[in-house]
Amino acid sequence: MLLALSTWCEVEAYLERSRAIIVPIGSMEQHGPTGLIGTDSICPEVIAKAAAEDNPDLLVGPTFNVGCAQHHLGFPGSMTLRPSTMIAAIGDWCASLRRHGFERIYWLNGHGGNIATIAAAFVEVYAERSLSGPDSATPPLTLRQRNWWDLPSVMSVCKRLHPQNEGSHATPSEVAITYAAYPDQVRNVPLQPKVASSGGFTDAEDYRQRFPDGRIGSDPSQATVEAGIEIIDAAAKALQEDFSAFCAL
Amino acid sequence: MLLALSTWCEVEAYLERSRAIIVPIGSMEQHGPTGLIGTDSICPEVIAKAAAEDNPDLLVGPTFNVGCAQHHLGFPGSMTLRPSTMIAAIGDWCASLRRHGFERIYWLNGHGGNIATIAAAFVEVYAERSLSGPDSATPPLTLRQRNWWDLPSVMSVCKRLHPQNEGSHATPSEVAITYAAYPDQVRNVPLQPKVASSGGFTDAEDYRQRFPDGRIGSDPSQATVEAGIEIIDAAAKALQEDFSAFCAL
Amino acid sequence: MLLALSTWCEVEAYLERSRAIIVPIGSMEQHGPTGLIGTDSICPEVIAKAAAEDNPDLLVGPTFNVGCAQHHLGFPGSMTLRPSTMIAAIGDWCASLRRHGFERIYWLNGHGGNIATIAAAFVEVYAERSLSGPDSATPPLTLRQRNWWDLPSVMSVCKRLHPQNEGSHATPSEVAITYAAYPDQVRNVPLQPKVASSGGFTDAEDYRQRFPDGRIGSDPSQATVEAGIEIIDAAAKALQEDFSAFCAL
Amino acid sequence: MLLALSTWCEVEAYLERSRAIIVPIGSMEQHGPTGLIGTDSICPEVIAKAAAEDNPDLLVGPTFNVGCAQHHLGFPGSMTLRPSTMIAAIGDWCASLRRHGFERIYWLNGHGGNIATIAAAFVEVYAERSLSGPDSATPPLTLRQRNWWDLPSVMSVCKRLHPQNEGSHATPSEVAITYAAYPDQVRNVPLQPKVASSGGFTDAEDYRQRFPDGRIGSDPSQATVEAGIEIIDAAAKALQEDFSAFCAL
Amino acid sequence: MLLALSTWCEVEAYLERSRAIIVPIGSMEQHGPTGLIGTDSICPEVIAKAAAEDNPDLLVGPTFNVGCAQHHLGFPGSMTLRPSTMIAAIGDWCASLRRHGFERIYWLNGHGGNIATIAAAFVEVYAERSLSGPDSATPPLTLRQRNWWDLPSVMSVCKRLHPQNEGSHATPSEVAITYAAYPDQVRNVPLQPKVASSGGFTDAEDYRQRFPDGRIGSDPSQATVEAGIEIIDAAAKALQEDFSAFCAL
Amino acid sequence: MLLALSTWCEVEAYLERSRAIIVPIGSMEQHGPTGLIGTDSICPEVIAKAAAEDNPDLLVGPTFNVGCAQHHLGFPGSMTLRPSTMIAAIGDWCASLRRHGFERIYWLNGHGGNIATIAAAFVEVYAERSLSGPDSATPPLTLRQRNWWDLPSVMSVCKRLHPQNEGSHATPSEVAITYAAYPDQVRNVPLQPKVASSGGFTDAEDYRQRFPDGRIGSDPSQATVEAGIEIIDAAAKALQEDFSAFCAL
Ligand code: NI
Ligand code: NI
Ligand code: NI
Ligand code: NI
Ligand code: NI
Ligand code: NI
């Protein structure tokens, strides 16, 4: 069940069954010469939608589609929020959902660069209530973030499909998911070198100097539509179970 | 051409051709018993995508999908940003795009409640440069917002299709667009009364008291997939022209 | 009755009679070679004071005298708030008045560039309560903004007095009001061209290039003290009625 | 010379003569049963205007008319900015004036409760440049605040006129200034006790409990129009000299 | 009793005895060629610790060790918060302590440049409750700041020890306190001139030009460990009494 | 070398040798019935000071002593910053140090709850420059955070000393460090149960319900002064090497 494709009456009915919701959260940033700029938003969105298919007990909210990607700004098309903006925005999303009686929000994340800021945003939300004391008028929320690749068993599927050169940015697995989601978007552009170098980085200028085509440690030429389908299937199943467990906490 | 489905190399090439981009901006809010919560984001997104189809000179960015909808929070599923958050977020989106050389950003809006805050966000962006003086290190930006229903000729199509009871929220035209975009999402729920009442409002509690099922002045039971297709076609063509004119300013 | 010229005991008594207040809001910005920098604050202040004269049921607050005028910063003396600052300030003014039991605040606006940010500020105020839910501890507020030129019948007076070349900035009508308010401030400086050009603008640098002497579309040499008196009279009467209707909502 | 009653061309000419400006800053807050709510804004405004009379080298900006008055919110009509809002607003005023080439801003203050926040706002403005280092693109500003009662010789006039029970809030001297400015606003309301008690305070509730009619330590029944005229004269002369010295720093 | 060296159970027990706490607050900024960068934080910390020694009714919190020192940034090692940041941080410290039942917070200050911003921060804290009205859910707080040199009798000790050239920055008294606290940190560096010049300043560039070695008006070569011990003793005793009086307000 | 115990001239000389600095960062929060509230600040501070001893090439800044600890607010004495405040404060600390020519800042962290917000703060700092583009006037910074327990080899020492029930909050290792630093602060309070339970948490109320005495998974009764000395020694050596490597990046 998708929030964007539901009516308010249907959400009202859902809230009788469940007080939890999944929110995909990603980024809009370069993914090398063959990966799509939307990759990190597409992945959690596609996985969440697959999990929500014919599932009246799993509601998926809108995708938080621009995240923290300052380090990618050296590559055209990358977009970022400042962490302070992202914390405010996540806070408003949480406050909106809490207003309706949602008690649990599960953020399915697609971008490593978001992890810290999402966690900080949760603390900002919790702090409001913690500072008010036990008599706070604000009802409690339980917030969780999960990277799609950390869903149980998903990484083992990725490793089986791409035993080598998964890397950490513009990975064959994430690129495969986007190719499965948009089969007409497969790019066949030669990568030079085949496997990108690895390492750390600071700001956008530094990143671009270290990783000239944008990839980190990966060989995304391995990505196929078929592999993407397999990963989505595994991740969607794992998400259903993980979300059920989250609801039952 | 869609930013989310492009690589950074393709955006780099686009910037050789054009310095302008379209960003759909909408809301996530109740649209009555038969309208989808995502309506106001779906409409500009669908229109922009139609205009971008096979069009290498019209780039569409990600959809800014949660806007200012505090007045709808009395209805489950509605979400809002505070205006101050939205101004910060629009500022970050603009700053990101400017970093790459974009000089013109055209926000295609789908939600009346966003208009003021988008305009305020533009002023916030302009003010930074205006306060720095003519020697500002920040390059200039030209920002424009356009509601899809204000695109040339679109309103006349809407009026021809729904000569009566278009109303101002959960209108047959916007609902028709979403039905055309998602034909399996057509809702056939009886509306009572057939035509909703009209008027002003303040906050969420006030709104819900005045408009018990969420609609304002509209009879969305008129919405059909066919009408939606017609509106999308008209709007996409108008957008192409309006955007070309914007690029040539 | 003017807040600044009342004692707290008198305001306490007023609150027994009425829960509404008018706040003039304007700008401090260039108005061409013959218009005063304070024009947009003077106009609503003068009209509100005229309406408040001998009227114990119409309370006028202090004038919010610097608004959103980033586009005028290319001309010496213009001042601006950033929209984010203005939203915070309007929020504090509203919160202060609500503390005393005011339930309705009518902002009489004198500057087109303020409209969007005032509207956004209202949404920021409403959102606080909407996000808290129906059990919010914060009492509700009803906020309204009205441009003095949009008061019923006022524009027709302006058009009768200046059937041509009213324009949109440094208009003969607003200049006339200020001349009526300060008859010793009439400027007789030749305007070149007589009627300024029209069009849009972005930031201060852009504005100054397009409108070299600051006017947009107007010929303020038509402005006279007599015309100003007539407009003030019409606007003050219209304000009294409009405010009464607002109180009775 | 008053900014609000000047044209931009006149300000341009002024900037050829001087790079300094005076900005009156006050408050909107209760001043006991006989003092006007606008007292603290009226006082510096009236003194600055008197000093500016026929003085082409002394420019007076708009009055910053709502300041930090949280402690007065227990009395109807009092208004406040939060210090964080006031710092942002003063920052925008400073940035606007700096844009035009103003290098010195002299804030003539009328409210003790503003002093700390004005000083903090100055530090916020200076910090921007100090953190940028000596190659900062931002031109330097020199900021000064002066309470009107601290202008050389003014306090001795006040003490001569009211040798006893000047107190610290709703003082006979400040009330006298407002009566001189608005002779039709003299209030003859009995004060009980004649001399208010003195002491410290924290928030609005605490203040109201300690000072039931709003005054602190004062007997404003001594205030007369004549005394007000004398104080204004002394203060205006002192301001002219103090501002000249400030310009010559 | 020191908060950092207590367990939560011990603080719980303290709160049965007292609802007040002392928080040292200072700065990290240059203090001339012989003064330590930490001087302004060391002084209140050392005095508060001396007062807390064997004193179960005087609890000392952590030292707020970086304050408002933008004007010192021309000298390596100086650090600053912007006032807006400092107001937010002091607000969070106050909110945290209030959560546990603390009703009185006594800030023992060591830096003149902090005074205004601390005062503004208090107003920000009070304003929250004042704007909520008398039914506010937030319990009241009583906040106090005291410079250690303003503690009763301390200045007279300083003047007796250094009858001349105490100056106002990098004073012999504050340097003596740090030497007493860290006897191995005494610096014997020649000062040129022996007594620094005096005067005002704006930003860091201006400060460094006026005060080339960082001192203002002082001759800190007078500082000795013995003098420091004497001042600390006097200040610690005075603090105990002043804090007792504050608790009994 | 300690910043707080240096003069500006000494820091100026240090900057000739090195452009890097260590900043200890911790928290002020309950650590169970036997752990000190300052534990998480004391640990990195003590380790950094040990590493700085007689080391002219390792400069240690002031300790950032209150961090993100909202979840501990159910226990008296715990203090927290909101993440948004902490991001602003870390930003100001970074900006201050950058002003002097520091190019690398190594944050030695003592609190797991800080990790995400520190990382977000780094992104906020980097984003400023990344959004400005490669011609940014702001010099680049390299930021690093390291938990003291993640310093090479330290965890193995901890595990050798406390092979069981280290747990994750109020661990024997961190408590041992504080006992080594303050041998007179050893607490012998019986713990019930001996080993605390483990698990996750959300806000303060939730945390206190799950972990009634504040500990998570630990048995801190194992902590001894001797163990603390051993850990400090190992950590200080590891820090020297890790910092050298950081400087040579
Ligand atoms: Ni990715
Ligand atoms: Ni809509
Ligand atoms: Ni105007
Ligand atoms: Ni006053
Ligand atoms: Ni000092
Ligand atoms: Ni710990």
Side-chain angles (χ1 to χ4, degrees), chain B residues 142-188:
Chain B
T142 299
L143 303 170
R144 163 80 52 92
Q145 70 167 314
R146 182 79 81 195
N147 304 315
W148 62 259
W149 58 85
D150 286 333
L151 283 165
S153 88
V154 169
M155 193 46 80
S156 66
V157 174
C158 294
K159 284 195 174 140
R160 174 168 50 74
L161 291 165
H162 318 112
Q164 288 185 311
N165 305 321
E166 176 78 2
S168 60
H169 185 67
T171 69
S173 295
E174 64 180 345
V175 171
I177 292 175
T178 64
Y179 288 176
Y182 299 95
D184 57 337
Q185 297 295 339
V186 176
R187 297 296 193 285
N188 289 305

Side-chain angles (χ1 to χ4, degrees), chain D residues 82-92 117 120-121 124-125, chain E residues 83-84 87 120:
Chain D
R82 291 168 213 264
S84 54
T85 305
M86 190 159 168
I87 288 171
I90 291 177
D92 287 354
T117 299
E124 188 91 11
V125 170
Chain E
S84 54
I87 288 171

Side-chain angles (χ1 to χ4, degrees), chain B residues 29-31 39-40 43 110-112 148-149 168-171 174:
Chain B
E29 67 186 42
Q30 67 82 18
H31 271 76
T39 298
D40 288 358
C43 290
H111 173 47
W148 62 259
W149 58 85
S168 60
H169 185 67
T171 69
E174 64 180 345

Side-chain angles (χ1 to χ4, degrees), chain E residues 29-31 39-40 110-112 149 168-171 174:
Chain E
E29 66 186 43
Q30 67 83 18
H31 271 76
T39 299
D40 289 358
H111 173 48
W149 59 87
S168 61
H169 185 66
T171 67
E174 64 180 346

Side-chain angles (χ1 to χ4, degrees), chain C residues 30 63 101 136 140 195 228:
Chain C
Q30 67 82 18
T63 300
S136 173
V195 183

Side-chain angles (χ1 to χ4, degrees), chain D residues 186-237:
Chain D
V186 176
R187 297 295 192 286
N188 288 305
V189 176
L191 295 169
Q192 183 70 317
K194 194 158 183 292
V195 183
S197 62
S198 292
F201 52 83
T202 61
D203 61 21
E205 197 181 5
D206 178 69
Y207 185 105
R208 177 120 200 197
Q209 279 178 342
R210 293 176 192 273
F211 311 109
D213 77 353
R215 295 173 296 143
I216 304 182
S218 69
D219 169 16
S221 70
Q222 305 171 77
T224 63
V225 169
E226 295 67 32
I229 291 171
E230 205 169 331
I231 301 171
I232 293 170
D233 281 352
K237 283 201 195 70

Side-chain angles (χ1 to χ4, degrees), chain B residues 83-84 87 116-118 120, chain C residues 87 115-125 145:
Chain B
S84 54
I87 287 171
T117 299
I118 295 172
Chain C
I87 287 172
I115 297 172
T117 299
I118 294 172
F122 288 1
V123 173
E124 189 90 10
V125 170
Q145 71 167 310

